[in-house]
Amino acid sequence: MSIAENITKFKDEIPEEVTLVAISKTKPVDDILEAYNAGQRIFGENKIQEMTEKWEKLPKDIKWHMVGHVQRNKVKYMAEYVDLIHAVDSLKLLREIEKQAKKYDRTISCLLQIKIAEEDTKYGIDVDEAKSILQSNAYRKMTHVKVVGLMGMATFTEKEEKVRKEFSFLKTTFEDLKSEYNSFSILSMGMSGDYKIAIDCGSTMVRIGSSIFGERNYN
Ligand SMILES: *Cc1c(COP(=O)(O)O)cnc(C)c1O
């Protein structure tokens, strides 16, 4: 199937209340344009420099999501345009986003990445750390960043029950925080391999890469 057909397929398949983020990392701008012409407007990247190069070249009504780990010294390159930062994992990073967003008189929406997987390779913080960030005076005083929800990545495994357990935990945590923080509206979980389980468990935003654009080539 073509990229355009894949976009159409996902738009048909995913419930209306779930947002599709097309993860275009490593893919050329022509591939992104094909998805764009099929109606897709939200794209996700995991490297700030690559995302910025694509933002410069592509239509300006695209919403760019940063889904990868963010280095503080690179926030300045995306502060002008980024729509949502999915993987915030410290108050220090929020402070930098606040500082850079202010320069453009913007408020940048962010998600806190919660570590739900077993693997050490996956980033994220635990629920207590997330709560302490949200409760901190420093965060409360910020006017140019808004934490609007949570993001998580499940363990990469064939064991569906395990993935389901991890996503369900994240959903419970999300609902818990949502009852306290009315800015909370986004629960970003689910990728090509596990989005069906994620939606089943209450995801409101899925991040799909290879099932739309094909396998990635990292050379
Ligand atoms: C690459 C990536 C995805 C998409 O992965 P696929 O398995 O290709 O769908 C989703 N989320 C994050 C954080 C990623 O880095």
Side-chain angles (χ1 to χ4, degrees):
M1 287 218 292
S2 69
I3 292 169
E5 285 169 327
N6 289 332
I7 292 291
T8 306
K9 178 189 99 105
F10 273 104
K11 286 198 183 295
D12 286 345
E13 183 184 337
I14 290 171
E16 221 177 338
E17 64 277 10
V18 177
T19 303
L20 172 64
V21 183
I23 306 296
S24 49
K25 61 192 187 198
T26 79
K27 298 296 178 182
V29 293
D30 284 349
D31 286 8
I32 299 175
L33 269 178
E34 183 179 344
Y36 178 89
N37 289 329
Q40 182 64 22
R41 290 293 179 274
I42 307 177
F43 293 89
E45 292 280 333
N46 72 339
K47 294 206 169 70
I48 293 170
Q49 188 180 333
E50 183 178 340
M51 182 169 78
T52 302
E53 284 166 12
K54 289 171 175 175
W55 166 70
E56 284 167 351
K57 288 181 191 145
L58 286 159
K60 289 296 172 280
D61 61 341
I62 288 178
K63 290 182 172 171
W64 292 100
H65 287 197
M66 175 41 56
V67 301
H69 184 68
V70 175
Q71 285 173 274
R72 260 179 293 141
N73 61 354
K74 292 190 178 153
V75 172
K76 56 178 177 280
Y77 301 117
M78 63 175 170
E80 183 180 352
Y81 69 90
V82 68
D83 185 67
L84 180 66
I85 301 174
H86 285 237
V88 173
D89 59 0
S90 71
L91 189 56
K92 261 184 162 174
L93 177 56
L94 277 180
R95 281 186 211 271
E96 179 64 15
I97 298 167
E98 165 80 10
K99 181 177 148 193
Q100 298 300 334
K102 191 172 179 198
K103 292 184 182 166
Y104 295 97
D105 198 22
R106 299 186 66 217
T107 299
I108 297 178
S109 295
C110 298
L111 307 176
L112 296 176
Q113 181 176 6
I114 305 291
K115 183 171 160 61
I116 54 172
E118 245 173 19
E119 296 121 310
D120 285 338
T121 50
K122 289 190 177 150
Y123 291 102
I125 53 179
D126 64 30
V127 177
D128 286 341
E129 287 173 278
K131 285 184 177 167
S132 84
I133 289 172
L134 292 165
Q135 286 160 3
S136 68
N137 278 329
Y139 170 65
R140 285 161 192 261
K141 280 192 223 143
M142 292 180 190
T143 50
H144 297 274
V145 292
K146 190 155 82 174
V147 177
V148 296
L150 302 178
M151 181 271 222
M153 291 169 88
T155 303
F156 187 69
T157 172
E158 294 292 310
K159 294 182 192 138
E160 184 179 327
E161 273 320 300
K162 183 170 179 57
V163 173
R164 192 171 285 279
K165 220 169 135 182
E166 292 172 355
F167 282 151
S168 298
F169 169 77
L170 192 58
K171 167 70 171 173
T172 305
T173 304
F174 173 71
E175 289 302 330
D176 177 29
L177 291 171
K178 194 176 173 212
S179 66
E180 212 171 323
Y181 298 94
N182 53 24
S183 63
F184 266 55
S185 61
I186 299 174
L187 177 56
S188 167
M189 59 184 197
M191 315 184 3
S192 292
D194 56 20
Y195 73 92
K196 285 182 186 162
I197 307 172
I199 291 171
D200 224 33
C201 293
S203 170
T204 73
M205 185 173 273
V206 291
R207 311 177 309 269
I208 311 283
S210 46
S211 291
I212 293 172
F213 295 105
E215 290 305 318
R216 284 177 293 274
N217 196 338
Y218 280 104
N219 324 312

